[in-house]
Amino acid sequence: MEQELRPGKWTEHTPSKRAIEGFAARSFQKHDVNGYFADNLLCSVLGSFLHRPFDLNFGCLLSARIFVHLIIEYDEKDQLTRWVERRYQPTMQG
């Protein structure tokens, strides 16, 4: 499931969730700096910022069956544009 928040566009209720495709490692490890920490936190960030749109990716293995992927996106002026939370759980298909 995926939820999205945008700065200045707060809703009174929890943002709606939408279904997403299954997890693919390339959707997370897409930058040149990737790290895994002992407390099950992961990150994928740019090695340098060049005043172009970019995103920061953080993830956490909440359990052996649940992975949460947080994406924080910025525009070319380094202004925050949105936060996206993706939650992955195994399905009957895998």
Side-chain angles (χ1 to χ4, degrees), residues 23 29 32 42 51 57 59-60 63 71 81 83:
F23 180 76
Q29 292 183 324
D32 49 342
L42 300 103
H51 299 293
N57 292 262
C60 182
S63 72
I71 305 163
T81 58
W83 299 271

Side-chain angles (χ1 to χ4, degrees), residues 13 17 23 37 39 45 54-55 72 75 77 83 92:
H13 307 287
K17 296 179 182 180
F23 180 76
F37 303 92
D39 56 0
V45 297
F54 67 94
D55 55 63
I72 305 171
D75 65 16
K77 296 178 184 174
W83 299 271
M92 295 289 285

Side-chain angles (χ1 to χ4, degrees), residues 58-75:
F58 301 94
C60 182
L61 294 167
L62 296 180
S63 72
R65 300 177 55 83
I66 301 173
F67 179 71
V68 176
H69 181 185
L70 175 64
I71 305 163
I72 305 171
E73 294 182 350
Y74 294 87
D75 65 16

